[in-house]
Amino acid sequence: MIVPARKPNLSYILLKTGLVYDVRMRYHAKIYTSYFEYIDPHPEDPRRIYRIYKILAENGLIIDPSLCGSDDIGDYMLKIPIREAKKEEILAVHSEEHLKFIESTQNMNKDELLKATEKGDSVYFNNDSLLSAKLSCGGAIEACKAVVEGKVKNAMAVVRPPGHHAEPDAPGGFCLFSNVAVAATSILDSYPESVRKIVIIDWDIHHGNGTQKVFYNDPRVLYISLHRYEQGKYYPGTKAGGADQVGEDLGEGLNVNIPWPVGGVGDADYIYAFRKVVMPICYEFQPDLVIISSGFDAADGDVIGGCHVSPAGYGQMTHMLKSLARGNLCVVLEGGYNLDSIAKSALRVAKVLIGEPPEELKQINPKIESIEVIDDVIKIQSRYWKSLGPGYTGLDYNLPSIMGNFDKLTSQSPDPTFIEVASKHERLNDAVRDHQRTALFEKYNFSTLPLFIEKLPNTQSYNASTILCSPDIYENDKIVIIVHDPSRIWARRDPITGDLDPANAVTVDKSLDFIEWALKQKWGVIDINIPITITGKDDATYNNINTSQDILLYLWDNFLHFFKAQKIAFIGVGEAYNGIIHLCGHRDVRKLVKASINFVDKATALRAVISTIDESIVDWFFRNSLVFTSSKHSCWGDKDTGNTKRPRKKYGRVLRADVEGLDGVIDERFDEVCTFIQESLEDYESESDSES
Amino acid sequence: MIVPARKPNLSYILLKTGLVYDVRMRYHAKIYTSYFEYIDPHPEDPRRIYRIYKILAENGLIIDPSLCGSDDIGDYMLKIPIREAKKEEILAVHSEEHLKFIESTQNMNKDELLKATEKGDSVYFNNDSLLSAKLSCGGAIEACKAVVEGKVKNAMAVVRPPGHHAEPDAPGGFCLFSNVAVAATSILDSYPESVRKIVIIDWDIHHGNGTQKVFYNDPRVLYISLHRYEQGKYYPGTKAGGADQVGEDLGEGLNVNIPWPVGGVGDADYIYAFRKVVMPICYEFQPDLVIISSGFDAADGDVIGGCHVSPAGYGQMTHMLKSLARGNLCVVLEGGYNLDSIAKSALRVAKVLIGEPPEELKQINPKIESIEVIDDVIKIQSRYWKSLGPGYTGLDYNLPSIMGNFDKLTSQSPDPTFIEVASKHERLNDAVRDHQRTALFEKYNFSTLPLFIEKLPNTQSYNASTILCSPDIYENDKIVIIVHDPSRIWARRDPITGDLDPANAVTVDKSLDFIEWALKQKWGVIDINIPITITGKDDATYNNINTSQDILLYLWDNFLHFFKAQKIAFIGVGEAYNGIIHLCGHRDVRKLVKASINFVDKATALRAVISTIDESIVDWFFRNSLVFTSSKHSCWGDKDTGNTKRPRKKYGRVLRADVEGLDGVIDERFDEVCTFIQESLEDYESESDSES
């Protein structure tokens, strides 16, 4: 019963990978004005495209012994004929003035060229700039076209000058025409049936302001850029690359910026971003064509980019993007200035395009800053992409997207949606503290210490719950004062709705352990909770650090002075610890205060004692204080970069825990702290008495 | 300054994809014992491997006009010579008894063969079974070897009988030798330097109990299985495929089960699992070789599997796995019983192995059940894999993994780690309710209604906070009684530590809106909070549904009867609604109760009124009640499968909201509910009076 094969002799042809390259794109070059420019040439160097072409030949991906761009380049890649971009193609993206200006450089004399170079934003011109730029742009179009028409399985356009900084009406950042934007527009216009949606992935280390602008309100193009940002200080130096720039009108939600807050990112960060954001979004968008704006200036070795993406990393990203749009993928060169780095990176990309598996990566763990920024991007983009919501189940209910907008009201530009949500509901930290008060009342007979400071919020919950104290507080000669941020909470989130399940959640507050321990020593206890935010309208002006300062001064001036206490120990937990440091600088607490123990998480800056009274306070503070930081606190520098440091003495005796998170740090050091306080508050005479 | 290429004429050879196939593996076949078996043959049919081989030829991936397994098969694939597995290779995994038994089938007569077939667990034998099985096993070894030795870039072993159900000392589930386990063991032993770690991805729809068992405590092999499970009821029918089976000893954390709770899963579910679990774990493990235990019985069209993975889906998964281990990937056939489906699926896998981009997927949204089970898997596996933790930053602190273990204590086998955590900390729902009590006291002068039921938890917080009422409750002639689950909480999670930030969290409780609305109508209000779990040791025996029933009976018998109220409306929210239904069945409430409104989320089963008093209650209940369910509540059937239904009358008047989540449903229907209650409690006489 053997069924014969239906077409056993059909021969299977694997399509080749297309390649665009032409030596004439080397003609655009900076006119030397000094010997210095000769020995240290402009980074956007004509050799960039040659070096990429050469490494492809050296590795046998193409056959071209003369390296001058022959037409027959062997079995794996197919040469795609280049041409100059047509006027109407360019004008579909750029203004007439822009085109006319670039055209005018063709006939300028040297002085005019230098003047135009000087006037522009990081661009240069010679009389061949127009030709090179038109070829670069036309090359990008032809590469995309060959992919869309099925002549090649995918393509790589090794072109220059780059394009992604060129805005519709201005060149910039080494870019004359917005090559990828022109190509994408041309394809969308020429193949309206087969190409309705294009994704542009811009992994050049700089934000592609030009490309973003062209498609900012265009629903046909999803633009995703990963770039070094540094709050807009990194080139191009505007806020256009911020994560909050999501597109407008019909294009809203189709502009995705992943702005690295620091340099030094590498494979792990990019793979993390791809896994968490880029690939889910692209799957959901279902593009017909993927274009990579492929700068290689995030590559290891590029001093302008200052990052560490390896050739393997570029290979992995290319491999992932190949899974989209039936493999219709076109790689167009943008920046990248280390000639070795760009050649090696482009080689790996080309190998993956041809069909080789990507090399494996060594680095797995992204930077903390990257995890944080990806979390922000998800928060912002989950409004538009179901696959970034908790369960991406296609639910219409927008709870997860409201959820996504939660942000600290203490930050400079609070999210209006969060303010709206928060104004309607109760802040959880208030609920938890209110309950702590009840519990401490019931368990240890604690009471509220009256709090009357005019500028503090005047709500019942705030007044009643902020300062609590043990019943013997007026009499006890030893007092432990705990000043802390609100409890942390551990909980499981419903994967579908994003709700937390309060039945499967617990409050975690190590401060309570200190209270119990101090009560066991028969000492008085004052427990001060400094909320980060508060329920109600006062929240807009509320600041937790100022509050902790005000409250500790108030406590000192109105109570501690008049209590019978002879010895006091402070324990500060989290941002609230600022109040203790501030107090030590503004009152002479040395007679009463015998110890100050503080726990500081990575997000809380260390604070120096700056005395308004007596310089020797700094020394006293150093001898009587411990400040425990989480392992990755920035005061220790960055182990990864080898740039380690030690905090100075004015911060007190700073010790580094092995773990992250306030609760973890306290857990690790609890016994040590108890011993330190015990020794500090110990009463030598009475002790020897009892021993005798 | 043109630098000549260093080796411009090196010719680049793309390695081929290896293929193992041999007609002798068709000899193992079931001996017909009836005409029925002839027309409806055993699913593990000899033609399975032939059909795959044939489709490769038909599509030109291999050249073999006679289809009999020729040695020269063209440009894209390389024939890997097969051989029988050696005794010592098999014995590295299987017991001597096992091997001896399989060997013995070679010389059995027909009766003995049929007897052995009948005795085994879903296996059959003929006199060629040994030969086929040894070839199948040896083929898997040779395929892996060719990949590891770099003779091919990757490989596909089209072999049968399959292997993954064969345990060390017993054949089973159509499997005689554990092919993949034998191959992996052989490779690890033969190439100790170059292959230290192997990942086995088992995407056969059945759990690979044999493979799992072999490597359960082996640190060199990470076994990941995606399979239909149904709480262990699906074949192989044990709990070995549960998500909680994580490996033992040195292998702990290296066994990952992704057990689909239902059939019908498809591309979206598998891609979701790959993105969320499989790929992150594999990246972190950094294998030297990846073996796919490639059953195609999850394929669309396979009636045994009952699932819907498309050829494109298999292609996408293969593509993802190609990114690991420098592409060292070996695909070994396991099950899959629809001859068309397995052929098409294998063809797509082979194309991707050769280097073609995978086809795009149409289906994006996984099933809710899949999202939930992936969430469970992450919870369990995050103890072992940093990349599944909140931030995978390489933190040592195990908070995220403790977090991962949170689970309902009301479930049948609570996680011991959670019990430990929960016993040390306060349940958040208690804290929130305690705070609600304070707020209702202060704002509306609510008080506690005494609660004395012997079997209920006797904690201060529970007694004081469970039933709250407005001050006029004894006098008011109209009362609204709200019986609800605890507040939901929305919060943002710290991406690094996994802590929730209580400053950026709010409690959400739509029940409070009903309270305010009822008070505005000048009606009395009773607010009953039924915690899902409680703080402290009583939690172990606590059951929220029973509690809601007990409390409502208690309220009826001890209070409502003696209040002045003439008209009562109930509002039930969440699981707590059970108490209302129970009350309506056990007391004749018809004179007093004028309306019962209930809100039920997807996880809460509908409950029928079963009257112990009077059958007409059912009809009364239907006329006076509304039950709003979330959009995806199972009472409406499954829209995706077209298997829709309507809940019966005994459940009351059940209405379907457009959204998910209790708060969403209440939001959507709030006004409707207010009107319904208003009309039910309305007092016609007094109304006409006031109008005159």
Side-chain angles (χ1 to χ4, degrees):
Chain A
M1 211 171 69
I2 288 179
V3 186
R6 258 158 289 177
K7 321 167 245 177
N9 289 317
L10 175 80
S11 91
Y12 184 69
I13 303 293
L14 272 172
L15 283 173
K16 295 181 181 181
T17 290
L19 180 69
V20 168
Y21 175 73
D22 192 297
V23 289
R24 289 174 292 164
M25 286 180 290
R26 293 188 61 175
Y27 300 168
H28 167 67
K30 187 149 184 0
I31 298 168
Y32 295 140
T33 53
S34 70
Y35 179 70
F36 176 77
E37 282 193 341
Y38 175 73
I39 55 165
D40 186 16
H42 190 281
E44 209 286 89
D45 182 307
R47 289 172 297 175
R48 294 173 60 242
I49 53 171
Y50 172 70
R51 288 292 294 275
I52 291 174
Y53 190 76
K54 180 158 106 51
I55 202 170
L56 297 179
E58 282 173 353
N59 284 272
L61 272 72
I62 57 174
I63 309 291
D64 184 355
S66 68
L67 288 180
C68 58
S70 71
D71 287 341
D72 181 4
I73 52 173
D75 287 346
Y76 303 116
M77 301 190 91
L78 180 76
K79 181 74 171 285
I80 299 170
I82 203 168
R83 66 167 171 86
E84 295 174 38
K86 291 178 216 151
K87 206 167 167 174
E88 59 270 26
E89 289 168 335
I90 295 170
L91 289 180
V93 162
H94 292 285
S95 65
E96 290 218 28
E97 293 67 38
H98 179 96
L99 176 57
K100 271 189 189 145
F101 168 71
I102 305 291
E103 283 174 343
S104 72
T105 60
Q106 201 175 8
N107 299 312
M108 285 178 178
N109 61 31
K110 190 175 171 188
D111 281 353
E112 288 169 329
L113 287 167
L114 289 174
K115 213 163 151 189
T117 297
E118 200 167 318
K119 243 178 62 185
D121 166 29
S122 308
V123 280
Y124 59 74
F125 305 98
N126 66 6
N127 292 136
D128 292 318
S129 296
L130 176 69
L131 173 66
S132 294
K134 275 178 150 179
L135 286 170
S136 182
C137 194
I141 298 172
E142 287 301 312
C144 291
K145 214 165 135 183
V147 172
V148 168
E149 292 188 344
K151 289 184 179 150
V152 292
K153 72 171 165 184
N154 47 43
M156 181 179 234
V158 184
V159 296
R160 74 174 284 274
H164 72 150
H165 294 308
E167 300 214 347
D169 43 16
F174 316 162
C175 302
L176 306 191
F177 297 129
S178 197
N179 304 332
V180 166
V182 171
T185 305
S186 161
I187 294 292
L188 287 166
D189 292 346
S190 310
Y191 305 89
E193 291 303 318
S194 54
V195 184
R196 294 164 193 238
K197 291 184 285 183
I198 293 179
V199 169
I200 299 171
I201 308 283
D202 188 336
W203 68 39
D204 187 286
I205 196 63
H206 302 96
H207 178 241
N209 52 301
T211 316
Q212 168 171 309
K213 200 167 200 174
V214 173
F215 299 114
Y216 208 61
N217 50 19
D218 192 331
R220 302 171 303 171
V221 176
L222 165 60
Y223 176 72
I224 303 178
S225 177
L226 305 102
H227 50 271
R228 191 166 161 182
Y229 183 58
E230 296 175 359
Q231 322 318 321
K233 291 201 283 281
Y234 195 70
Y235 188 86
T238 70
K239 299 277 184 188
D244 55 346
Q245 304 298 300
V246 297
E248 268 174 5
D249 302 332
L250 291 175
E252 190 178 338
L254 296 172
N255 196 80
V256 179
N257 283 323
I258 300 175
W260 305 124
V262 293
V265 288
D267 292 342
D269 308 282
Y270 278 84
I271 296 301
Y272 187 78
F274 264 62
R275 190 182 299 149
K276 290 268 181 181
V277 176
V278 177
M279 295 312 297
I281 285 183
C282 286
Y283 260 102
E284 190 172 339
F285 185 66
Q286 300 207 302
D288 303 305
L289 173 67
V290 178
I291 306 176
I292 305 179
S293 255
S294 176
F296 291 119
D297 39 8
D300 196 41
D302 191 299
V303 291
I304 291 181
C307 296
H308 307 294
V309 178
S310 72
Y314 285 112
Q316 288 281 354
M317 290 192 281
T318 308
H319 184 81
M320 287 194 225
L321 294 174
K322 265 180 76 177
S323 69
L324 301 166
R326 302 174 306 282
N328 283 340
L329 175 61
C330 185
V331 180
V332 179
L333 186 64
E334 298 279 1
Y337 309 103
N338 178 317
L339 297 177
D340 282 329
S341 300
I342 65 172
K344 281 183 203 154
S345 303
L347 174 64
R348 278 311 315 177
V349 170
K351 282 191 177 179
V352 171
L353 290 180
I354 284 173
E356 293 280 62
E359 281 174 355
E360 63 183 345
L361 299 177
K362 299 282 172 289
Q363 194 199 358
I364 297 297
N365 294 323
K367 284 173 168 288
I368 284 189
E369 293 87 349
S370 304
I371 295 172
E372 285 170 341
V373 79
I374 295 295
D375 196 58
D376 284 339
V377 170
I378 291 173
K379 163 184 88 115
I380 291 164
Q381 294 289 343
S382 60
R383 281 177 241 177
Y384 309 108
W385 301 98
K386 284 172 187 160
S387 37
L388 300 184
Y392 78 92
T393 54
L395 303 180
D396 293 325
Y397 188 45
N398 65 350
L399 186 146
S401 42
I402 293 177
M403 278 296 315
N405 295 329
F406 275 33
D407 218 330
K408 286 207 181 194
L409 283 184
T410 47
S411 76
Q412 298 201 304
S413 56
D415 188 310
T417 322
F418 176 71
I419 298 182
E420 201 195 317
V421 171
S423 69
K424 284 192 198 144
H425 301 285
E426 193 127 46
R427 292 298 181 103
L428 188 58
N429 53 356
D430 280 354
V432 170
R433 178 59 175 178
D434 202 36
H435 172 66
Q436 275 182 354
R437 166 173 57 116
T438 320
L440 287 172
F441 280 6
E442 285 161 3
K443 206 161 167 192
Y444 301 118
N445 211 12
F446 270 43
S447 57
T448 300
L449 207 68
L451 174 61
F452 299 111
I453 307 182
E454 208 173 335
K455 57 184 168 180
L456 290 190
N458 185 22
T459 69
Q460 203 280 343
S461 150
Y462 197 84
N463 291 337
S465 302
T466 300
I467 315 183
L468 304 174
C469 56
S470 59
D472 59 349
I473 201 67
Y474 289 81
E475 314 298 333
N476 205 314
D477 67 337
K478 286 169 189 162
I479 296 181
V480 172
I481 303 176
I482 304 161
V483 192
H484 58 83
D485 291 350
S487 308
R488 261 74 50 210
I489 289 165
W490 298 349
R492 220 182 147 183
R493 177 174 285 187
D494 183 305
I496 311 297
T497 63
D499 282 358
L500 297 177
D501 179 0
N504 287 321
V506 294
T507 60
V508 180
D509 199 334
K510 304 286 174 187
S511 316
L512 295 176
D513 295 344
F514 283 121
I515 293 179
E516 293 194 351
W517 167 77
L519 291 174
K520 240 181 241 157
Q521 316 300 315
K522 307 218 180 299
W523 299 335
V525 173
I526 299 178
D527 179 70
I528 307 176
N529 177 72
I530 309 287
I532 309 285
T533 55
I534 55 175
T535 304
K537 64 177 169 40
D538 286 328
D539 193 62
T541 54
Y542 176 82
N543 176 301
N544 63 320
I545 292 178
N546 294 346
T547 301
S548 75
Q549 299 177 178
D550 293 344
I551 287 180
L552 279 191
L553 288 182
Y554 166 87
L555 187 71
W556 183 264
D557 296 341
N558 295 285
F559 294 93
L560 296 180
H561 252 38
F562 308 103
F563 287 176
K564 300 235 165 80
Q566 299 301 311
K567 294 183 174 183
I568 291 176
F570 277 110
I571 300 176
V573 178
E575 295 194 335
Y577 115 99
N578 278 279
I580 298 173
I581 310 299
H582 184 260
L583 175 68
C584 293
H586 288 75
R587 300 289 184 272
D588 192 347
V589 300
R590 285 175 285 188
K591 245 184 91 181
L592 273 182
V593 176
K594 299 301 172 195
S596 151
I597 315 290
N598 299 285
F599 298 94
V600 177
D601 201 3
K602 67 173 162 42
T604 307
L606 288 189
R607 169 130 171 203
V609 180
I610 298 165
S611 181
T612 55
I613 307 160
D614 183 341
E615 272 305 312
S616 69
I617 287 272
V618 172
D619 190 59
W620 166 85
F621 183 72
F622 183 78
R623 279 182 293 101
N624 291 281
S625 77
L626 297 176
V627 180
F628 296 99
T629 75
S630 58
S631 161
K632 304 226 170 182
H633 194 284
S634 61
C635 72
W636 304 102
D638 188 347
K639 230 192 320 193
D640 296 343
T641 63
N643 182 21
T644 57
K645 50 187 181 180
R646 270 205 66 80
R648 296 171 58 187
K649 207 171 163 181
K650 61 180 178 181
Y651 296 113
R653 199 185 300 270
V654 185
L655 300 168
R656 183 179 196 164
D658 290 331
V659 297
E660 290 304 289
L662 275 179
D663 299 306
V665 175
I666 297 177
D667 253 0
E668 181 184 308
R669 303 302 184 121
F670 191 84
D671 294 342
E672 193 176 339
V673 164
C674 290
T675 308
F676 187 93
I677 296 179
Q678 215 139 17
E679 287 173 355
S680 305
L681 298 195
E682 223 160 43
D683 211 340
Y684 296 102
E685 300 78 19
S686 63
E687 193 178 87
S688 54
D689 279 0
S690 66
E691 269 176 12
S692 64
Chain B
M1 213 172 69
I2 287 179
V3 186
R6 260 159 286 178
K7 321 167 242 175
N9 289 318
L10 174 80
S11 91
Y12 184 71
I13 303 292
L14 273 170
L15 284 173
K16 294 181 183 180
T17 290
L19 180 69
V20 168
Y21 175 73
D22 193 296
V23 290
R24 288 174 292 164
M25 286 180 291
R26 294 186 62 175
Y27 302 169
H28 167 67
K30 185 148 183 7
I31 299 168
Y32 296 139
T33 52
S34 69
Y35 179 71
F36 176 77
E37 280 192 342
Y38 175 73
I39 55 164
D40 185 17
H42 191 280
E44 211 285 270
D45 182 308
R47 290 171 297 175
R48 293 173 60 243
I49 53 171
Y50 172 69
R51 288 292 294 274
I52 291 175
Y53 190 75
K54 179 156 108 50
I55 203 169
L56 297 179
E58 282 173 352
N59 285 271
L61 271 73
I62 57 174
I63 308 290
D64 185 356
S66 68
L67 289 179
C68 57
S70 70
D71 287 341
D72 181 4
I73 53 172
D75 288 345
Y76 302 116
M77 301 191 90
L78 180 76
K79 181 74 171 284
I80 299 171
I82 203 168
R83 64 168 172 84
E84 294 173 38
K86 291 177 215 151
K87 205 167 169 175
E88 59 270 28
E89 288 168 334
I90 295 170
L91 288 179
V93 162
H94 292 284
S95 66
E96 292 218 29
E97 293 67 37
H98 179 96
L99 176 58
K100 271 187 192 147
F101 168 70
I102 305 291
E103 283 174 342
S104 71
T105 61
Q106 203 174 8
N107 301 310
M108 285 180 179
N109 62 31
K110 191 174 167 189
D111 282 352
E112 288 168 331
L113 287 167
L114 289 174
K115 213 163 153 191
T117 298
E118 201 167 320
K119 243 179 61 188
D121 166 29
S122 308
V123 280
Y124 60 74
F125 304 98
N126 65 8
N127 293 135
D128 291 319
S129 295
L130 176 69
L131 172 66
S132 293
K134 276 178 150 179
L135 286 170
S136 182
C137 193
I141 299 172
E142 287 301 311
C144 291
K145 214 166 137 184
V147 171
V148 167
E149 292 188 344
K151 290 184 182 150
V152 292
K153 70 171 166 184
N154 45 43
M156 182 178 230
V158 184
V159 296
R160 71 176 283 277
H164 71 151
H165 293 308
E167 301 213 349
D169 43 15
F174 317 160
C175 302
L176 305 192
F177 296 130
S178 197
N179 304 331
V180 166
V182 171
T185 305
S186 161
I187 294 291
L188 287 166
D189 292 347
S190 310
Y191 306 89
E193 292 303 317
S194 55
V195 183
R196 292 163 193 240
K197 289 183 286 182
I198 293 179
V199 169
I200 298 171
I201 309 282
D202 188 338
W203 69 37
D204 187 288
I205 196 63
H206 303 96
H207 179 242
N209 53 300
T211 318
Q212 167 172 308
K213 199 166 199 175
V214 173
F215 299 115
Y216 208 61
N217 51 17
D218 191 330
R220 304 172 301 172
V221 175
L222 166 59
Y223 176 71
I224 304 178
S225 176
L226 305 102
H227 49 270
R228 190 166 162 182
Y229 182 59
E230 297 176 357
Q231 321 320 320
K233 290 199 284 281
Y234 195 71
Y235 189 86
T238 71
K239 299 277 184 188
D244 55 345
Q245 302 299 300
V246 298
E248 268 175 6
D249 301 333
L250 292 175
E252 190 180 339
L254 296 173
N255 196 80
V256 179
N257 283 324
I258 300 175
W260 305 124
V262 292
V265 289
D267 293 342
D269 308 283
Y270 278 84
I271 297 301
Y272 187 79
F274 264 62
R275 190 183 298 148
K276 291 268 180 181
V277 177
V278 177
M279 294 311 296
I281 285 183
C282 286
Y283 260 101
E284 189 172 339
F285 185 66
Q286 301 207 302
D288 302 306
L289 173 66
V290 177
I291 306 176
I292 305 178
S293 255
S294 178
F296 291 119
D297 38 8
D300 195 41
D302 192 298
V303 291
I304 291 181
C307 296
H308 307 293
V309 177
S310 72
Y314 285 113
Q316 288 282 353
M317 290 192 282
T318 309
H319 185 81
M320 289 193 225
L321 295 173
K322 265 180 77 177
S323 70
L324 302 166
R326 302 174 306 284
N328 282 341
L329 175 61
C330 186
V331 180
V332 179
L333 186 64
E334 297 280 0
Y337 309 102
N338 177 318
L339 296 177
D340 282 327
S341 300
I342 66 171
K344 283 183 201 154
S345 304
L347 174 64
R348 280 309 317 176
V349 169
K351 283 191 177 179
V352 170
L353 291 179
I354 284 174
E356 293 280 63
E359 280 174 357
E360 63 184 343
L361 299 178
K362 299 283 172 289
Q363 194 199 359
I364 297 297
N365 295 321
K367 283 173 168 289
I368 284 190
E369 292 87 348
S370 304
I371 296 173
E372 286 170 341
V373 80
I374 295 296
D375 196 59
D376 284 339
V377 171
I378 291 173
K379 164 186 89 115
I380 291 163
Q381 293 290 343
S382 61
R383 282 177 239 177
Y384 310 109
W385 300 98
K386 283 172 188 163
S387 37
L388 299 184
Y392 77 93
T393 55
L395 303 180
D396 294 325
Y397 188 45
N398 64 352
L399 185 146
S401 42
I402 294 178
M403 277 296 315
N405 295 329
F406 276 31
D407 218 330
K408 287 209 181 195
L409 283 184
T410 47
S411 76
Q412 298 202 304
S413 56
D415 187 312
T417 323
F418 176 72
I419 298 182
E420 200 194 318
V421 171
S423 70
K424 284 192 197 145
H425 301 285
E426 192 127 45
R427 292 298 180 105
L428 188 57
N429 54 356
D430 280 353
V432 169
R433 178 60 176 177
D434 204 35
H435 173 66
Q436 276 181 353
R437 165 173 56 116
T438 321
L440 288 172
F441 281 4
E442 285 161 5
K443 211 161 163 191
Y444 302 117
N445 211 12
F446 270 44
S447 56
T448 299
L449 207 69
L451 174 62
F452 298 111
I453 307 183
E454 207 172 334
K455 57 184 166 180
L456 290 190
N458 185 24
T459 70
Q460 202 282 340
S461 151
Y462 196 85
N463 290 338
S465 302
T466 300
I467 313 184
L468 305 174
C469 56
S470 58
D472 60 349
I473 202 66
Y474 289 80
E475 315 297 333
N476 205 313
D477 66 338
K478 286 169 190 162
I479 296 180
V480 172
I481 302 176
I482 305 162
V483 192
H484 57 83
D485 289 351
S487 308
R488 261 73 50 208
I489 289 165
W490 297 349
R492 220 181 147 184
R493 177 174 285 187
D494 185 303
I496 311 298
T497 62
D499 282 357
L500 296 179
D501 180 0
N504 287 321
V506 295
T507 59
V508 180
D509 199 336
K510 302 288 174 187
S511 318
L512 296 177
D513 296 344
F514 284 120
I515 294 179
E516 295 193 349
W517 167 77
L519 291 174
K520 241 182 240 159
Q521 317 300 314
K522 307 215 180 300
W523 299 336
V525 173
I526 298 178
D527 180 72
I528 307 176
N529 178 73
I530 309 288
I532 309 285
T533 55
I534 55 176
T535 304
K537 63 177 171 40
D538 286 327
D539 193 61
T541 54
Y542 177 81
N543 176 301
N544 62 321
I545 292 178
N546 294 346
T547 300
S548 74
Q549 299 176 177
D550 293 344
I551 286 181
L552 279 190
L553 288 182
Y554 166 87
L555 188 70
W556 183 265
D557 295 342
N558 296 284
F559 295 94
L560 295 180
H561 252 38
F562 309 103
F563 288 176
K564 301 237 166 79
Q566 299 302 308
K567 293 182 174 183
I568 291 175
F570 277 110
I571 300 176
V573 179
E575 296 194 335
Y577 115 99
N578 278 282
I580 299 173
I581 310 299
H582 184 259
L583 175 66
C584 293
H586 288 74
R587 300 288 184 273
D588 192 348
V589 300
R590 283 175 287 186
K591 244 184 93 182
L592 272 182
V593 175
K594 300 301 173 194
S596 151
I597 314 289
N598 299 284
F599 298 95
V600 177
D601 201 3
K602 66 173 162 42
T604 307
L606 289 188
R607 169 130 170 206
V609 181
I610 298 166
S611 181
T612 54
I613 306 160
D614 182 344
E615 272 306 310
S616 69
I617 287 271
V618 173
D619 190 60
W620 167 85
F621 184 71
F622 183 76
R623 279 181 293 99
N624 292 280
S625 77
L626 296 177
V627 180
F628 295 99
T629 75
S630 59
S631 162
K632 305 223 170 183
H633 194 285
S634 61
C635 73
W636 304 102
D638 188 346
K639 231 193 319 194
D640 296 344
T641 63
N643 183 20
T644 57
K645 49 185 180 178
R646 270 205 67 78
R648 296 171 59 187
K649 208 170 162 182
K650 61 181 178 180
Y651 295 113
R653 198 186 301 269
V654 185
L655 300 168
R656 182 179 197 163
D658 290 332
V659 299
E660 288 304 289
L662 275 180
D663 300 305
V665 176
I666 297 178
D667 253 1
E668 181 184 307
R669 302 303 184 121
F670 191 82
D671 294 341
E672 194 176 338
V673 164
C674 290
T675 307
F676 188 92
I677 296 180
Q678 214 139 18
E679 288 173 355
S680 305
L681 299 195
E682 224 161 46
D683 211 338
Y684 296 102
E685 302 77 20
S686 62
E687 195 179 87
S688 54
D689 279 358
S690 64
E691 269 175 13
S692 65

